[in-house]
Amino acid sequence: MSHLVSVAELSELIAQEPRLRVLDVRWRLGGPDGRPEYLEAHVPGAVFVDLENELSRHGRPDEGRHPLPDTATVQDAARRWGLDDGDPVVVYDDHGGLAAARAWWILRQGGMDVRVLDGGWPAWVSSGEPVEAGAVAPESGSAALSDIRGGSLTIDEVAAFPASGVLLDVRAPERYRGETEPYDPVAGHIPGAINLPTAVHLAADGTARSREEIRANLAAAGVADGTPVAAYCGSGITAAHTALMLAEVGMDAKIFHGSWSQWSNTLGRPAATGPQPG
């Protein structure tokens, strides 16, 4: 089954599936959350999710900028969103699914049935589907989540990962090469990591490329069926999008959620620069 849902499929689900829950995860790195835009207009019935405070926690610099919250915190949030066990969930954002994928990863690890709206909010609006304004406050749910940390790597595990699999750095090439670093104290990449920006998996309209194109992108980075693969990014958000794309073509990935923000804030961790893994 696909981990993505089209606008037409979501519209049909809204009309026919009373247990459907839709979550709006609009968010941009370095900017305010998407709540004002959500209040202005959103998919009918969608509940706003605060990525910074419900899908992340605030820790020390050496834990990264967006450490995973604990399972109990996410479970409490999921119940505030109105989720019950067995509910089908669709998540979306307005930026290629990069933020929505964080919700997808966490809820999937927690045992929920969750998919991402392909093309997100822009696709919904451009298709002429109905929207609504104001906040949606559902009745509290009773979802019981499994441990959301399944599939996560520690900093020591990610350091050793290139010896046995492919470690993907999914940031922009200039950050990987160490030519610029707008957020963290050190520029470069984890030694042994291969650069495959997650944006290559997206078409110009923000929808996912075909499975054949995604597989070709992965193959160019040395990833094929059966290859152990892990991903990291700047702070653990967009790495989930690469994991989503891998899942879409039937491959599982692990995520280093501390990502470069944790690595570069931890004393003694080396930084490679230039276009090669190093």
Side-chain angles (χ1 to χ4, degrees):
M1 184 184 75
S2 177
H3 295 269
L4 302 172
V5 60
S6 69
V7 167
E9 289 169 332
L10 177 55
S11 181
E12 184 175 344
L13 282 169
I14 290 172
Q16 298 183 2
E17 177 51 80
R19 294 190 62 182
L20 176 70
R21 298 293 178 261
V22 182
L23 304 179
D24 185 310
V25 199
R26 278 182 270 188
W27 170 88
R28 296 292 178 92
L29 180 63
D33 67 29
R35 191 184 302 272
E37 289 79 10
Y38 163 81
L39 293 173
E40 182 177 337
H42 53 77
V43 173
V47 177
F48 183 73
V49 173
D50 183 343
L51 184 146
E52 291 281 349
N53 296 298
E54 294 180 313
L55 300 178
S56 306
R57 62 181 174 83
H58 302 283
R60 304 183 312 271
D62 64 356
E63 294 179 290
R65 281 181 276 115
H66 293 105
L68 276 182
D70 59 34
T71 301
T73 297
V74 178
Q75 180 173 277
D76 287 345
R79 292 176 177 180
R80 288 195 299 274
W81 305 332
L83 272 56
D84 294 317
D85 291 337
D87 285 347
V89 181
V90 173
V91 297
Y92 72 89
D93 59 33
D94 60 354
H95 192 50
L98 302 186
R102 171 76 162 209
W104 167 83
W105 171 273
I106 288 176
L107 291 176
R108 180 178 180 234
Q109 295 299 320
M112 299 297 295
D113 172 13
V114 55
R115 287 183 285 172
V116 176
L117 176 60
D118 195 18
W121 176 246
W124 184 265
V125 172
S126 66
S127 296
E129 295 290 343
V131 302
E132 68 178 15
V136 174
E139 293 185 7
S140 294
S142 58
L145 300 188
S146 305
D147 184 2
I148 67 168
R149 292 189 169 273
S152 300
L153 294 179
T154 67
I155 193 169
D156 289 330
E157 289 170 337
V158 80
F161 198 88
S164 59
V166 175
L167 176 62
L168 296 176
D169 181 319
V170 307
R171 298 173 300 162
E174 60 271 19
R175 290 185 70 191
Y176 172 85
R177 295 191 297 262
E179 296 167 1
T180 183
E181 181 45 65
Y183 305 109
D184 295 312
V186 178
H189 60 267
I190 296 174
I194 294 171
N195 189 215
L196 184 63
T198 202
V200 305
H201 305 304
L202 294 173
D205 63 357
T207 58
R209 294 192 180 277
S210 70
R211 292 181 181 181
E212 292 74 19
E213 289 174 303
I214 294 170
R215 279 187 169 274
N217 291 333
L218 293 168
V223 178
D225 290 325
T227 304
V229 58
Y232 76 91
C233 56
S235 65
I237 304 299
T238 55
H241 184 266
T242 287
L244 171 64
M245 295 295 98
L246 280 155
E248 190 63 10
V249 297
M251 301 182 194
D252 288 327
K254 296 183 181 298
I255 294 179
F256 173 37
H257 284 96
S259 283
W260 186 249
S261 58
Q262 180 179 10
W263 186 273
S264 63
N265 276 287
T266 301
L267 292 176
R269 297 293 176 176
T273 57
Q276 301 302 319

